Structures are given as C-alpha cells and as structure tokens.
Amino acid sequence: MELVEVCASVRVMDPTARIELRQTYTNTHDTAAAELRYTAPLIAGATVLGICARFSPSARSLHGVVRRSQHAVDEYSDALAGGRRACLLQQAHADAPVEWLLGAVPPRESVAVAVVYAVVLDEFDAASHCFEELSCALPLRVVFPCSISPVLAPSAAPIATFSVEVANVLPSDLTNLPCTVSCLSHPHPAATVEARADLSVAVVVPLPLDRPLELLLHTSSCTPPLPARCTLPQCGDAPTVGGGEGGAAGCALYGSVLACNTAPAPLPLPLPHDGAPFVPHAALMVSVLPRLRLPCESPSAEMIFLVDRSASMAGSPINNVKKMLLLFLKSLPESCRFNIVGFGSRYSTLFPESTAYTEQSLRVATKHVERLSANMGGTELLPPLRAIFGSAAAPGVARHLFVLTDGEVSNTEDCIRCARDAVGWSLAVFGLGSGCDRSLVSGLARAANGAVEFIARDENIHAKVLWQLHRALRPAIANVRLSVAGIPPELRWAVVGRPPAFLRNFERFVVCMYLGFVGGDDASEGADVYALLHNAEVVLDGHLAAGAVRVAVGLANTRPLPPPPLGDDARTVDALAAHTVLRTVDGHCDAGDFALSHSLASRWTAFVAVEDAQSAEGSHLASDVALVELDGSWRARNFSGGYRAGLGRGAVGFTTRSSIGPSRGRSRSRSR
C-alpha cells in the first residue's frame, strides 16, 4: 500500500478543535487485495467522532457506526468472509492509540480513509506574555504527530494540505479583526485573512514531514474576559473582573463557556454532584485561562526526578537523561528538597527521603548522575509511582514530580490511573526518543493535569528543561478545590474530571459538567435548563501563602450551541465532555451504554463500517488477503514473500487470510 495524499481540515472554536484527517492509499499490486492495519495518527487525548472510507474508481463509501466491541468485530469479520469491504476502529482504553483495520482494498484501487476527531487545544509559549499584555490573546497551537506523514521516495512527492477554519465565537464588534495562521515547525509564510464571519486558510506542506507539524493560530482580538469574580489576599474582592474595572487591577479570567444539549443517558458512576443521581440534559465545558497578579512568593518545594533506567534506555536516551538531570540539579532553588529515583525491573532512591539542596547533596547527586546507566532490566513504572504518590507530604510544601522515560511499559492503563488518583502533585513528563509511547507519556500528564515534553534524538534539551522547571516554580494557587454554587433546587449537576493541583497563570484548565432536572424526562418537558443558571457559578478555592483565594466563573449567559444539522460544534462539545466521563471511569465500571448513546469509541465500543450485500454484488474479493501493518512512518516496501511495513517501532510481514482468519482474536506481530 502506498500513501499518495494527506489532507487535514481543522475547525477551531476556542478551546476546542474538530479535525478531519484524510489519507489516500493505493493498492499497487495486481493480485491479492490487502487488509490495512495501522495506528491512527491522532493528537493525544483525541475523541473520535466518526470514520469513513471511500474507494475509487468504484466510488463506494463506507460510513462508520458505533457498536459494542464484540459486535463490531463480528460484523467486520463476517463482512470480510463474505467478500465485502469493511473497516473497524478500536481503542483499548481512553488514552490508548486508535487502531484501524480496513479490509479489503481490491488490486489497483485507491481508498481515502478519513477519521474525524475532537481535541482540546493548548496555548503556545504562555510564559513569554507579561502582565502588560493581559488584553492580548494567546496563540492556540494545533499539533499533528509526525506519523501523519510517511517517509516516501522523493519521486513520489505527495503533498500534505492542512486547512484551518476558525469559528467566529467573538462578539459582533470584533469579527472584522485579522487572524494569522503560521507554521511553527516548518518554514512557511504566514497566511493572514480577514475574519468577517468564519475564516479558513490552507497551509500546504510537501512530504515527508520529519517532525510533528505545529500550526499556531494568532488573533489580534482582545478576547472578552469571562463574567467572573476573584478574591486574592493582596487585592481584596473583585466583584467584576476585566480591565481592572471594579476589581483587582491586572486580574482577569479569559476563556469560554460552551454548552450543548446532550443525550439523556445516565452517567456511569457517582461523580461529584448535587443530590441523587439524575439523567443529564445539558453538557457544559468551562474553559478558563487565568491571568492573575499573583504575589511573587517562594514556597518550599519538593522536587523528585523519576528516571527510567531500563535496558531500552541505552544509548541516546540515557545520555539525554544525564544531561537533563545535571541541568535540573544546577538550576534548583536553594530552598527546595529533592531526590532521584531510578527504576527498571526494580526501583531505588538516591537518598532515603528527599533531602535539602546544599553543596554537599549537590555533589553527591552530580556524581550519581554521571555514573547512571541503563542497567536495571525491564520497565516497571507503576511501583515507584505508587510509592512516590503515597509518600507523606510536609505541610506547606509544593510537590513536583518529573518523569523521564522512553515510555515502553506493559501496564499503561494502571500507570495512568495511578497518576489520575494522585492528589497534591504537579507532574511533568518527558518522553525520550523516537520510539517513545506517546499514549503513556501524554496520558500520564493529562491524567494529572500536568505538562508533557517530547525529546527527539540529538535535540537541544536546554529550553525544555528550564521551561518545565520555571513552570514548577512559578507562583501558583495550591490545594485547588472545585464546587458549583447557585444551582436552583429543580436542577441537579455533576462535575466531570478534577481541577489541577496548582492553578497557574497562562495555563488553561477545562471543567466539564452535566445538568439535568429533578424527576428526569417528565420534569424537563418544555423547560429550559439554561434559563435557570442566572445565579450559577463554577467556583475554585485554593491557597496562597498570603491567604485564601477564590475564583468564580458565572454561567448566567450560557446558551446551547445549535445542534446538527445546523452545525457540528455542539457535537464537538458533547463528545469531549462524554470522553472526559469515559476517561474518568475507565477500568472502574462498564460505561458501554454511555459510550453508545454518545457514539464514541471506547474500551467497550468500536466504530465499524460494512459494505451492504447489494453494493458488493459482482465485486467479490479474493480470499487470499495480505495483511499490511503500518506504524511510525508508514512506508510499505517489498521483501521476500510479500509486503513488509518497515516502519518506526515495528513491522509485520505478509500473511494470508488462512493465517489471520476471520476469527475474533487476531494475532499481532510487533518487534521493538
């Protein structure tokens, strides 16, 4: 199978993005049809909204629907056994990569595989903004993993086209301001257009891409502050926030409150809520980007460096680790305590417990780092994570964990769940090397509301290390607690997810919540949930050294986005909120019915698309089918005996239908 085209369209509605990624493959062989198996190149934390496969020149299309996983596998296998085209999309858990099976592509026929997904975007280089620029909008960053583009022969020279559309969610008096889309990772002239309503701009990049593609969306608009009030110890109560009017000068909360009507499906487990369980009717996504004038205090800090020393770290990864640790050690503040924990098949600590940062402890740690090697066998990350998160905390000490790993573990779900359950920790995860398991690294950071950095081979690590250390030491609101106030008694609410352990300036956090009526569907008939939110607030309480802090975001002006077919934005918000529920309950209970009601892939459900029998008449496919597994750079090349995908971390060779069969359990061959 040869990749001939990559197209992606992005619709941005701060802070969300709806992305359609389409890749066109051609079966260049004359005999057997091919079954294509690969890992979909989605942004970490993405929520799949739909799949489609279009074949040419036969002009046949398959559109995916969500089924229970076993039902989907059976339907896919039966279609292949009957000589019909089919595709299957599965996800082992909420933070796992999405896996495709597409069967079968007839000889000399092309197939355009499209997946639509939603994601919450982040800001770029927020630390470079100062308080004099509080009215400026931070650029949003859209990142496409490098695996969207294979390493192809120069003669092929296909093109990757990325079309970016920014939804107009600004007030009418701001809709004529320009927006700039620039390509951060690859040289490309910035494209500037006037945003009279919605705006769209195309960025064309020649393949291959040797690194992730990063697009920045800059807007010159002064995004209006959220209706909010903030109480800070040094500036008193701010009943209204924004522009310093009537409140704390220089204090503002930016962001958005997005809402949509949702499927009346019971939530799968008890969440923080008001009163008895209920059936939700509305989903809200509250996105907050704080820009608060926090005092420049230096609270006591504990820094723990969890270092992967397994055999897979040999070579460039362990050398990068040593450079990173030495840079960390030389940059720590004098008031902190620190420790280094190495892990492999077992784990060990440099000091019995975190020790004060002194000249003596620095000398000991420096010698220890210089002697580090990848000599601790396998990769067992979970035991040291449990030990660190379970250790006793000293009062008033901010705790920070830095994880340095190549991300190759066998129990990714358990590690992510451990990070999700941790309380009071700030987490930064560094993924090392091209073979790093992004689902683990990104999943750990996302579960703990932390940060993630990927370190490529021979990359300059200085900026990333110092930025994460600077981030950890910046003034922050600690011990953040989330609640909801002002909800009338006829409504019930449930909050999904959790607030960050530390609330920092220029770091977005997103709160998802569901609303429903007491009494269920009968009580909600003809009623308007949103009309009852005139006094409702999402409240975050926390502490600074100077005293208590309260931030409250009002929900009074919340209105639902128009549902399909009037627009897709409501579907985006609904799916992201539901995906947060699935990630929260993953592994704790069966949430399959909830996933089905929201049409999402999960550990319990899968997308399947099957050609109907009438369309398949006269086009019976060969029973001898080759399996091509694509991963990493996605280049298929010939070798003795058939195809070989010589790609990235793994490859699998030619097999026939008799060896993989239409059975439920398909063997997978992977080599690292």
Side-chain angles (χ1 to χ4, degrees), residues 47-52 63-69 71-73 75-76 86-91 98-101 114-117 571 595-596 598-602 604-610:
T47 305
V48 178
L49 306 179
I51 63 171
C52 178
H63 296 274
V65 295
V66 178
R67 302 273 193 260
R68 280 280 183 170
S69 295
H71 184 182
V73 172
E75 195 171 338
Y76 173 81
C87 60
L88 178 70
L89 183 146
Q90 297 174 293
Q91 191 172 23
V98 173
E99 294 189 347
W100 270 90
L101 282 173
V115 57
V116 181
Y117 61 96
R571 165 65 173 152
L596 282 173
H598 291 272
S599 298
L600 296 179
S602 66
W604 307 278
T605 55
F607 278 94
V608 63
V610 173

Side-chain angles (χ1 to χ4, degrees), residues 442-455:
S442 297
L444 286 173
R446 191 164 53 252
N449 290 313
V452 62
E453 298 281 5
F454 291 99
I455 308 294

Side-chain angles (χ1 to χ4, degrees), residues 2 4 152-159 206-208:
E2 180 180 346
V4 295
L152 295 170
S155 58
I159 288 179
L207 296 179

Side-chain angles (χ1 to χ4, degrees), residues 316-335:
S316 177
I318 196 65
N319 290 332
N320 272 337
V321 163
K322 294 164 75 170
K323 295 176 185 177
M324 294 166 69
L325 284 176
L326 291 174
L327 186 55
F328 270 123
L329 290 173
K330 294 176 181 178
S331 307
L332 292 177
E334 294 181 357
S335 59

